[in-house]
Each structure stands twice: as C-alpha cells, then as structure tokens.
Amino acid sequence: MKFFVDTANLDEIRELNDLGVLDGVTTNPSLMAKVGITGRQNVLNHYLAICEMVEGDISAEVIATDFEGMMREGMELANLHDNIVVKVPMTRDGIKAINAFSEQGIRTNCTLVFTVGQALLAAKAGADYVSPFVGRLDDVSTNGLALIQDIVTVFNNYDMFTEVLAASIRHPVHIVECAKMGADVVTCPASSIDKLFNHPLTDIGLAQFLADYKKVE
Ligand code: E4P
C-alpha cells in the first residue's frame, strides 16, 4: 500500500520524504489555505516545489466547478510537472472532465467520493484514483472503512485499473485497516503516519537494552 501525505506543509513533506516512506502527496484548497498559499501563481509555484521534493504522484485540485474551467485549470496543473495528478470533484462536470483528461493522457484523482456508485462512475470515466473520505463518513455516524472495503471488492470484481486512495484518514487504525482491506493508497496527515512508530513496549525494551549494555560496558 502506498503512503501519501495529506498536507501542503513543505516541512512535513520533507521530513517524511527523508524517512524514505513517502510515495506521494495530496493537497486540497483547505490544506493550501492552511499554509497561507493564496493567488494562482503562488499556488502553482507551491505545487512545483512539492514535485521537486518528492518522487511520486502529487494531487493538485482544480477550483473551477464547470467543465471548461476544470479543463483549463487541469491543463495548467498537468503542464507544471509529469508527477501532477489533477484532482477533480465528484460532480457531473467533474466526471466529464475526468473522461476528457483521460483521453488526453492526463492523470486524475476523483475527490469527494462517499458511495460505491460514485466510485464506479469515476472509474468508468477513466480516473486513475478515486478518493473515498473515511473520516468524514465516520463523522456523520457512517462506517467510512466499510466504504473502502466495498469499493476494493467491486474494483477487484472487474479488475479495474483505477486505484482506491483512502482519504480523510484520522488515525493509525484507519491506516492499518485500509491495508488489511487492500486499499492501493492511503493519504494521511503527517501526525497519523508518525503515530505508527509508537508502542510503549518498544520504548521500554530499548531503555532496558541500553541499561543492560551499560552494566557490562
Ligand atoms: C485528500 O485528498 C482529501 O482532501 C483529504 O484527505 C480530506 O481530509 P479531511 O476530511 O481530514 O479534511
């Protein structure tokens, strides 16, 4: 399972990339705003900086909601760097744009997916990734992980080319459960990936080894 980090923060991206566990990056307009990136040219420069840092797929989201606008913005993003994947929302115009991008060899990630039906539409339109939002479903008392399982099952039934990119990940259990279900990718906040390191027995065991080593030093 590939690990993408869900952030626009260059320090967080650099730190994970240096660990050697990072396969890509996803961003969205909220994450860009969180790090204070505004204005089209600054946004484009920021995507370029991420692409130059990480060897992997970088999702860059369109802001337009109409077909023509999505096509215009998506082309501009795709022309920035070979690793850009154009992130398009799950709407009628979005599906039309995904289809048009795929015919031109431009890779896409269909975002804001909350049902298996939406995932199927995106796959049929030619999306390279679908992004079902686990945490946001959990937030409304719906089992987000069950959606991942269902989409993985349906895509496997038909040997579909589209990858399941589990998004809106909130904690390490989400990550591990997605891996057990066979999701192709998880995109997580850096803090969730960091928590995978932790176990009290690891800390206790290391302290004990060092203490014992000191006795015979
Ligand atoms: C990434 O592609 C999504 O935009 C992101 O995972 C959404 O996460 P959130 O629900 O924590 O905002």
Side-chain angles (χ1 to χ4, degrees), residues 86-100:
V86 179
K87 206 172 171 196
V88 178
M90 174 64 224
T91 61
R92 283 175 176 75
D93 280 34
I95 288 298
K96 204 171 144 190
I98 285 169
N99 187 241

Side-chain angles (χ1 to χ4, degrees), residues 6 26-28 87 109 111 131 133 136 167-170 187:
D6 198 21
T26 54
T27 57
N28 62 37
K87 206 172 171 196
N109 171 1
T111 190
S131 289
F133 279 31
R136 291 194 197 185
S168 188
I169 294 292
R170 299 280 160 80
T187 187

Side-chain angles (χ1 to χ4, degrees), residues 8-214:
N9 182 310
L10 295 181
D11 292 334
E12 287 182 352
I13 295 170
R14 187 178 300 107
E15 202 174 313
L16 278 167
N17 199 41
D18 287 351
L19 278 176
V21 299
L22 198 59
D23 302 298
V25 180
T26 54
T27 57
N28 62 37
S30 308
L31 293 170
M32 292 297 259
K34 200 169 162 189
V35 291
I37 307 297
T38 52
R40 193 66 187 158
Q41 196 52 52
N42 290 334
V43 167
L44 297 178
N45 290 344
H46 201 75
Y47 282 136
L48 208 46
I50 297 173
C51 288
E52 279 163 6
M53 194 180 289
V54 178
E55 184 54 50
D57 287 348
I58 313 298
S59 284
E61 190 159 342
V62 297
I63 306 298
T65 55
D66 63 300
F67 173 74
E68 286 77 16
M70 286 183 193
M71 293 306 295
R72 197 171 45 248
E73 284 181 21
M75 295 293 198
E76 186 177 35
L77 292 167
N79 283 334
L80 274 180
H81 196 281
D82 283 350
N83 291 352
I84 289 281
V85 175
V86 179
K87 206 172 171 196
V88 178
M90 174 64 224
T91 61
R92 283 175 176 75
D93 280 34
I95 288 298
K96 204 171 144 190
I98 285 169
N99 187 241
F101 284 132
S102 102
E103 279 170 5
Q104 296 181 46
I106 292 173
R107 294 179 308 137
T108 55
N109 171 1
C110 183
T111 190
L112 291 164
V113 167
F114 292 93
T115 68
V116 177
Q118 291 178 329
L120 264 174
L121 284 172
K124 287 186 72 70
D128 293 82
Y129 295 102
V130 289
S131 289
F133 279 31
V134 176
R136 291 194 197 185
L137 280 171
D138 288 355
D139 288 344
V140 294
S141 306
T142 301
N143 188 341
L145 286 171
L147 176 63
I148 301 298
Q149 181 67 81
D150 285 347
I151 297 174
V152 168
T153 302
V154 170
F155 282 15
N156 284 346
N157 283 347
Y158 297 98
D159 205 11
M160 277 173 159
F161 145 94
T162 307
E163 294 189 54
V164 180
L165 192 169
S168 188
I169 294 292
R170 299 280 160 80
H171 50 71
V173 175
H174 275 161
I175 299 176
V176 172
E177 289 302 314
C178 284
K180 284 156 71 177
M181 289 168 180
D184 300 286
V185 191
V186 275
T187 187
C188 338
S191 59
S192 298
I193 297 177
D194 196 56
K195 285 178 188 155
L196 291 174
F197 276 101
N198 303 337
H199 197 283
L201 291 178
T202 304
D203 300 338
I204 292 167
L206 183 60
Q208 185 68 56
F209 287 153
L210 294 176
D212 288 343
Y213 176 76
K214 277 211 172 95

